[in-house]
């Protein structure tokens, strides 16, 4: 990893031996309570006795192979929730401990004290930053970190199941899959809708962290205040920017050869902002391919945006345009 890149580092809690011993006792009691009352997510294989990456892979692989053996179509996507541990909202976590797992007032109060009054700083050989309060996240490197994160993200597995898909998680890695005899388009759309909801779930949580907004606050005003595009407009933004880069640089060649300029029937003022060729397709599944989605997105932009010569100007006008559509 690059030592000059800040993303190469992550926060690690500096805990005393006594604190770790206490946490281990609490963790053992908490896991025993959750196990005895069948409250642990049955499709989460991390940090649990007799569960491992091997058992998770065996389950997912067996399900898919048996489906294919029966002649079904199978689809699988793998999600890695990066920086997920840092986005845990304390108020939401404590609420879930009460309502979803039935923990009593004194237990929840103990966890509230455990999570509060923590500070963080950056230490270098010759200097040290000022301390700042840690308002979000679970203490990384602590004994209780894994089980608290597992309980916090259990709702994510239920979200996937609401889309009639099968989730299986290990820590912050989640596999989502499903199979059926036919209807590949329906299966692909179902998975696409689910991933959109998962990303929206993560964006909403991140927005609350950045704005230091607690609990179940509606995230839509937060996204607007941060000048963050909603999910679908964000996808359009990324695709439009990539399409422009491919057109102006002709690289990478394996993408530039998929984008062709459409010859205008008549020479008009709009001809200076040329449209792209949208190939014919036979199924809805093909609409998500780059060769179709890129020209369709580009052609939907106003001519003045397509004519922007500077990439920064293009991005600024594009974002303003997309915000007007929300």
């Amino acid at each position: 990893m690059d030592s000059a890149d800040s993303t190469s580092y992550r926060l690690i809690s500096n805990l005393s031996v006594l604190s770790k011993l206490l946490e281990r006792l609490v963790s053992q009691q908490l896991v025993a309570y959750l196990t005895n009352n069948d409250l642990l997510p049955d499709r989460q294989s991390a940090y649990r006795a007799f569960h491992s990456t091997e058992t998770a892979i065996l389950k997912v692989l067996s399900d898919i192979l048996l489906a294919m053996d029966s002649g079904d179509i199978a689809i699988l996507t793998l999600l890695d929730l990066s920086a997920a541990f840092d986005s845990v909202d304390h108020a939401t976590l404590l609420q879930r401990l009460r309502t979803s797992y039935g923990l009593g007032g004194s237990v929840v109060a103990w966890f509230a004290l455990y999570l509060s009054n923590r500070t963080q700083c950056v230490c270098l050989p010759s200097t040290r930053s000022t301390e700042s309060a840690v308002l979000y996240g679970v203490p990384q490197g602590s004994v209780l970190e894994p089980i608290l994160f597992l309980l916090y993200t259990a709702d994510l597995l239920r979200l996937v199941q609401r889309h009639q898909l099968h989730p299986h998680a290990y820590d912050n890695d989640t596999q989502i899959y499903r199979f059926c005899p036919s209807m590949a388009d329906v299966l692909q759309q179902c998975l696409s809708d689910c991933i959109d909801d998962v990303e929206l779930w993560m964006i909403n949580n991140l927005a609350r962290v950045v704005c230091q907004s607690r609990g179940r606050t509606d995230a839509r005003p937060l996204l607007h205040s941060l000048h963050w595009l909603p999910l679908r407009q964000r996808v359009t933004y990324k695709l439009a920017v990539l399409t422009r880069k491919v057109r102006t640089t002709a690289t990478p060649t394996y993408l530039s050869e998929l984008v062709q300029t459409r010859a205008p029937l008549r020479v008009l003022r709009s001809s200076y902002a040329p449209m792209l060729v949208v190939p014919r397709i036979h199924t809805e599944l093909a609409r998500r391919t780059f060769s179709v989605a890129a020209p369709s997105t580009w052609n939907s932009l106003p001519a003045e945006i397509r004519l922007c010569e500077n990439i920064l100007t293009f991005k600024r006008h594009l974002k303003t345009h997309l915000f007007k559509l929300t």
Side-chain angles (χ1 to χ4, degrees):
M1 292 186 293
D2 183 5
S3 60
D5 186 357
S6 61
T7 61
S8 300
Y9 301 87
R10 71 185 185 102
L11 181 66
I12 297 295
S13 298
N14 186 15
L15 304 171
S16 65
V17 175
L18 182 60
S19 173
K20 290 184 177 181
L21 290 175
L22 177 60
E23 286 188 41
R24 191 168 300 279
L25 293 174
V26 174
S27 177
Q28 291 173 351
Q29 293 183 38
L30 178 60
V31 172
Y33 164 78
L34 296 170
T35 303
N36 294 337
N37 291 278
D38 196 26
L39 294 174
L40 287 170
D42 61 347
R43 290 298 182 268
Q44 170 62 265
S45 293
Y47 318 120
R48 300 170 62 183
F50 311 114
H51 292 67
S52 66
T53 53
E54 290 182 347
T55 60
I57 291 173
L58 286 174
K59 170 60 178 172
V60 174
L61 184 61
S62 295
D63 286 349
I64 293 177
L65 291 179
L66 287 175
M68 296 178 66
D69 183 63
S70 301
D72 288 353
I73 299 172
I75 190 168
L76 167 71
T77 188
L78 309 177
L79 303 180
D80 180 11
L81 307 180
S82 59
F85 289 92
D86 297 328
S87 63
V88 173
D89 178 80
H90 295 168
T92 302
L93 173 60
L94 296 173
Q95 179 66 22
R96 289 176 183 172
L97 293 179
R98 282 190 293 264
T99 59
S100 300
Y101 303 103
L103 296 181
S106 59
V107 177
V108 175
W110 186 91
F111 278 107
L113 291 173
Y114 170 77
L115 294 169
S116 62
N117 298 322
R118 293 184 180 271
T119 59
Q120 62 184 6
C121 66
V122 177
C123 296
L124 297 174
S126 58
T127 186
R128 171 176 173 157
S129 70
T130 57
E131 294 185 352
S132 60
V134 179
L135 303 177
Y136 294 87
V138 288
Q140 296 192 38
S142 66
V143 177
L144 285 170
E145 170 202 9
I147 187 63
L148 291 179
F149 178 76
L150 182 153
L151 298 179
Y152 183 80
T153 56
D155 280 356
L156 182 60
L157 302 182
R158 288 189 281 268
L159 183 153
V160 173
Q161 291 170 331
R162 287 200 294 270
H163 286 273
Q164 305 301 312
L165 295 167
H166 307 292
H168 204 113
Y170 188 92
D171 196 6
N172 59 342
D173 296 319
T174 303
Q175 295 79 44
I176 302 174
Y177 61 100
R178 184 181 168 183
F179 29 81
C180 66
S182 57
M183 300 183 297
D185 288 358
V186 176
L187 190 61
Q188 189 272 342
Q189 186 61 49
C190 181
L191 182 61
S192 177
D193 292 342
C194 176
I195 293 176
D196 286 348
D197 281 353
V198 170
E199 184 170 3
L200 181 60
W201 185 85
M202 290 301 300
I203 290 174
N204 288 347
N205 276 278
L206 182 57
R208 293 188 181 99
V209 170
V210 174
C211 293
Q212 298 186 8
S213 177
R214 312 308 300 269
R216 298 181 178 273
T217 305
D218 187 357
R220 287 172 294 184
L222 303 180
L223 294 175
H224 189 270
S225 67
L226 292 168
H227 206 56
W228 289 0
L229 290 167
L231 178 61
R232 293 193 181 280
Q233 284 74 22
R234 184 165 170 255
V235 172
T236 300
Y237 175 85
K238 297 285 288 185
L239 183 57
V241 171
L242 176 60
T243 303
R244 186 191 183 281
K245 290 180 178 178
V246 169
R247 289 191 69 247
T248 54
T249 65
T251 55
T253 54
Y254 53 78
L255 288 184
S256 65
E257 64 189 13
L258 300 177
V259 178
Q260 299 180 12
T261 302
R262 188 172 70 190
L265 298 178
R266 293 180 296 172
V267 178
L268 302 172
R269 182 180 179 183
S270 60
S271 301
Y272 294 102
M275 309 280 272
L276 302 180
V277 176
V278 181
R280 292 184 177 182
I281 57 175
H282 303 289
T283 66
E284 288 297 314
L285 187 65
R287 290 191 183 278
R288 297 176 64 88
T289 63
F290 183 80
S291 59
V292 176
S296 298
T297 298
W298 181 263
N299 294 347
S300 69
L301 300 178
E304 58 269 22
I305 295 180
R306 285 183 276 126
L307 285 171
C308 290
E309 296 182 359
N310 183 280
I311 183 62
L312 296 179
T313 304
F314 175 82
K315 288 181 176 180
R316 184 173 66 254
H317 288 301
L318 174 61
K319 198 169 188 179
T320 301
H321 167 70
L322 293 175
F323 259 112
K324 292 179 179 179
L325 300 179
T326 60

